[in-house]
């Protein structure tokens, strides 16, 4: 996709023009609905439904252990509100590995949401939506750890396969002992078990996982190495232009900001990205 504006959900001014939400209907979980139904139209990949590829676990973004149990979350309710404006009253989630999503290996879906960073190599195999957030690399350790900005450079570091953080860590933290995990669940399990000293992934995920750890984990820092966060379409997908317009509309009318405030603030347990110290590398 070309010439996409950077559209994020954190503009406070947009909240001032946001209309009161409708309550969700069956098939939309617990999401609040903003805007009018059926203002846009696509031919969905699967008739009668809006199909979204995701990567679990994703606390705050998709709240639930399986696609069938998810009823809330920032990215989930983004998808629900897109479906609402498309006049589709059913959202179906398909869990997939992050590697397969960014490699363009999934079929029969309308969009993928998984806190995906926009990169030039990925553009060769998938099309990106209009960006809706900006990422940073958050760092979590066990609560009793004394890891700091210096010791992280030689630590046992875990991150997720397929993410831009693998190459970033190899380039910027060459003395760290890097372990790569298939998903965030396995990565945080390894951290809790002591197999790694620290894990690194999107700051939003880190804050959510730490808030849900019952005090076993803590956030210690972040690296400002993130990029634009966007959805993914199958290469050449015809629905891209319409969904991009809806994302732009949701940024302009305050929907994205409202969803970020409602679901990410709650999932983070009061922690904010701007409160986490930015470390040098």
């Amino acid at each position: 996709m070309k010439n996409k504006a950077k559209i994020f959900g954190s503009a406070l001014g947009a909240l001032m023009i946001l209309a009161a939400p409708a309550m969700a209907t069956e098939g939309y979980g617990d999401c609040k609905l903003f805007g009018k139904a059926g203002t846009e139209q696509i031919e969905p990949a699967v008739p009668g439904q809006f199909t979204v590829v995701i990567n679990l676990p994703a606390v705050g973004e998709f709240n639930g252990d399986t696609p069938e149990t998810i009823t809330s979350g920032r990215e989930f309710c983004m998808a629900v509100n897109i479906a609402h404006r498309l006049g589709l009253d059913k959202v179906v989630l398909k869990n997939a590995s992050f590697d397969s999503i960014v490699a363009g290996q999934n079929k029969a879906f309308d969009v993928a949401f998984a806190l995906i960073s926009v990169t030039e190599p990925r553009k060769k195999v998938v099309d990106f939506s209009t960006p809706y957030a900006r990422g940073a690399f958050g760092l979590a350790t066990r609560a009793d750890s004394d890891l700091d900005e210096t010791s992280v450079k030689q630590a046992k570091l875990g991150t997720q396969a397929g993410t831009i953080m693998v190459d970033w860590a190899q380039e910027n933290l060459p003395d760290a002992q890097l372990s790569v995990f298939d998903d965030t669940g396995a990565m945080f399990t390894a951290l809790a078990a002591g197999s790694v000293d620290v894990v690194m992934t999107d700051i939003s995920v880190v804050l959510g996982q730490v808030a849900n750890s019952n005090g076993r984990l803590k956030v210690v820092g972040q690296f400002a190495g993130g990029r634009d966060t966007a959805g993914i379409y199958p290469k050449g997908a015809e629905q891209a232009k319409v969904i991009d317009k809806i994302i732009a509309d949701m940024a302009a009318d305050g929907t994205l900001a409202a969803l970020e405030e409602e679901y990410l603030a709650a999932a983070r347990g009061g922690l904010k990205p701007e409160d986490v110290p930015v470390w040098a590398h």
Side-chain angles (χ1 to χ4, degrees), residues 201-234:
T201 189
D202 189 279
I203 187 65
S204 177
V205 174
V206 165
L207 292 173
Q209 291 284 350
V210 168
N212 271 337
S213 72
N214 295 317
R216 293 190 296 269
L217 305 177
K218 64 181 179 182
V219 184
V220 288
Q222 62 179 311
F223 292 120
R227 303 189 184 191
D228 289 342
T229 299
I232 274 180
Y233 306 119

Side-chain angles (χ1 to χ4, degrees), residues 32-262:
K32 295 177 180 177
L33 303 178
F34 301 95
K36 295 181 179 180
T39 55
E40 307 293 339
Q41 187 175 3
I42 63 170
E43 288 190 15
V46 178
Q49 68 183 48
F50 192 57
T51 307
V52 184
V53 172
I54 64 174
N55 175 241
L56 297 178
V59 176
E61 303 291 349
F62 293 91
N63 294 324
D65 297 325
T66 65
E68 295 76 23
T69 61
I70 291 167
T71 59
S72 67
R74 192 269 299 263
E75 285 186 321
F76 174 64
C77 290
M78 278 179 53
V80 163
N81 273 274
I82 292 170
H84 171 64
R85 298 186 191 204
L86 290 171
L88 298 170
D89 58 8
K90 183 179 181 182
V91 175
V92 175
L93 305 178
K94 297 170 63 175
N95 194 33
S97 70
F98 192 87
D99 267 344
S100 73
I101 294 173
V102 297
Q105 296 174 349
N106 293 281
K107 308 297 181 184
F109 71 99
D110 297 304
V111 67
F113 288 134
L115 292 176
I116 304 161
S117 297
V118 178
T119 70
E120 292 303 317
R122 290 173 180 172
K123 288 181 181 180
K124 296 178 181 178
V125 292
V126 298
D127 288 338
F128 284 99
S129 76
T130 295
Y132 55 86
R134 179 78 179 179
F137 303 159
L139 297 154
T141 65
R142 293 178 296 281
D144 60 355
S145 172
D146 59 0
L147 183 135
D148 59 20
E149 188 173 356
T150 299
S151 60
V152 70
K153 296 176 182 179
Q154 287 81 38
K156 295 178 181 178
L157 171 67
T159 194
Q160 186 176 354
T163 68
I164 63 173
M165 282 159 277
V166 176
D167 289 342
W168 188 94
Q170 291 172 335
E171 179 178 349
N172 293 281
L173 301 172
D175 296 326
Q177 301 172 54
L178 184 63
S179 296
V180 179
F181 296 89
D182 288 338
D183 57 57
T184 55
M187 182 173 67
F188 278 92
T189 297
L191 175 62
S195 300
V196 293
D197 302 318
V198 57
V199 296
M200 180 172 68
T201 189
D202 189 279
I203 187 65
S204 177
V205 174
V206 165
L207 292 173
Q209 291 284 350
V210 168
N212 271 337
S213 72
N214 295 317
R216 293 190 296 269
L217 305 177
K218 64 181 179 182
V219 184
V220 288
Q222 62 179 311
F223 292 120
R227 303 189 184 191
D228 289 342
T229 299
I232 274 180
Y233 306 119
K235 196 69 175 174
E238 294 183 359
Q239 73 269 24
K241 184 176 180 180
V242 176
I243 296 175
D244 277 353
K245 179 183 182 300
I246 294 174
I247 294 173
D249 289 345
M250 292 198 303
D253 67 23
T255 299
L256 296 187
L259 296 177
E260 180 177 347
E261 176 65 23
E262 172 131 359

